[in-house]
Amino acid sequence: VDAQGQAEVLVIQEVLERLGTAVPKLGQRLIDGEARACLGRVIARGLPVFQAWQAQLAALEQELGHGEATGPAHQTLTLVRARIDMVFDDLSHFWSDPKDKWDRIDVTPGVQRAWRLATIGLPEGVTQHQKFEPLPLVWGSEAKMTQAALYLLAFAVDLVPPEGELGIEAVPSPADGVRLTIWVSGNPRTDLECQGWLNPFGDPDRIRGSLGPALAAAIASQHGGSLTVTPRESGGAVFSLELPPLSASQEPHEPVI
């Protein structure tokens, strides 16, 4: 920029340079903060269930003491311990900040982990539907795809009514990639409302809510895929995330969003 002796131009140039440096850093802080906030909401919803399991575990251990390790009570104790261990193992995959390694991945374990965590604490009247088929490998980050699934599931759980339905389906796409569909029953939604979830910055009021769907869409785009959100015909919404098939030559480094 040729300031031509104008001090104001130099000031503007300096401000723009500072913004160019600061905005990516602020964006990363937003992404990190939203991920932890999403996990925090999941933990808060499941906390009463965790506490009930811990109380049941303590009561069973006291009842059994050092008795013989057989019988129905011992089987229940083993089951409760396994549940608690699985929850903490699932949480550790989100909270331990795993290295963002890009490789050929199977998204199934991460999606199942996100499903187990997000559905803890759901009202008893909610009907859950699951469908997992063997999936082809895709190119991407397992950590990011697991986080995208948790974003969508946590958002969907907040929409489901007390006597509603929540479903997940992970199947190969017609293009030999992966299609992850999450749907929730409930109030009728409009196309405009669904698109608003993907573009929260178009309305300042939406920024106060969850940015989960928008960040999940960014992760899908980063993987060469897409996320669509549409109204469900009988009420509620459908989130459909698609990932492209694995090709012979893949980008060796993480692509930029």
Side-chain angles (χ1 to χ4, degrees), residues 144-169:
K144 285 184 180 294
M145 288 310 308
T146 304
Q147 184 64 57
L150 189 67
Y151 279 143
L152 295 177
L153 284 165
F155 190 84
V157 165
D158 286 338
L159 300 178
V160 65
E163 302 293 329
E165 296 179 272
L166 176 69
I168 186 169
E169 181 179 279

Side-chain angles (χ1 to χ4, degrees), residues 144-145 148 214-228 240-244 257:
K144 285 184 180 294
M145 288 310 308
L215 292 178
I219 292 173
S221 176
Q222 191 179 25
H223 285 72
S226 63
L227 173 66
T228 58
S240 183
L241 190 155
E242 292 214 21
L243 299 176
I257 296 179

Side-chain angles (χ1 to χ4, degrees), residues 72-91:
H74 184 317
Q75 293 175 359
T76 303
L77 176 63
T78 302
L79 178 61
V80 173
R81 282 176 174 167
R83 283 177 176 172
I84 294 175
D85 287 345
M86 180 174 288
V87 168
F88 280 101
D89 181 63
D90 289 340
L91 286 173

Side-chain angles (χ1 to χ4, degrees), residues 13 15 46 199:
Q13 180 180 0
V15 169
N199 300 284

Side-chain angles (χ1 to χ4, degrees), residues 58-142:
L60 286 168
E61 288 176 338
Q62 185 176 6
E63 176 187 344
L64 292 173
H66 299 287
E68 190 176 353
T70 58
H74 184 317
Q75 293 175 359
T76 303
L77 176 63
T78 302
L79 178 61
V80 173
R81 282 176 174 167
R83 283 177 176 172
I84 294 175
D85 287 345
M86 180 174 288
V87 168
F88 280 101
D89 181 63
D90 289 340
L91 286 173
S92 69
H93 280 78
F94 286 93
W95 208 262
S96 60
D97 292 328
K99 291 183 178 179
D100 189 21
K101 179 182 178 182
W102 283 67
D103 204 342
R104 292 168 172 81
I105 61 170
D106 178 4
V107 302
T108 303
V111 171
Q112 290 176 330
R113 189 173 290 121
W115 171 265
R116 287 194 297 265
L117 287 177
T119 53
I120 295 176
L122 276 179
E124 294 183 0
V126 174
T127 303
Q128 301 180 32
H129 305 269
Q130 300 181 58
K131 181 180 179 182
F132 289 94
E133 295 184 1
L135 299 178
L137 298 180
V138 294
W139 180 260
S141 162
E142 182 180 1

Side-chain angles (χ1 to χ4, degrees), residues 167-171 179-183 238-241:
I168 186 169
E169 181 179 279
V171 299
R179 174 178 292 168
L180 173 65
T181 304
I182 296 169
W183 58 270
V238 179
F239 303 82
S240 183
L241 190 155

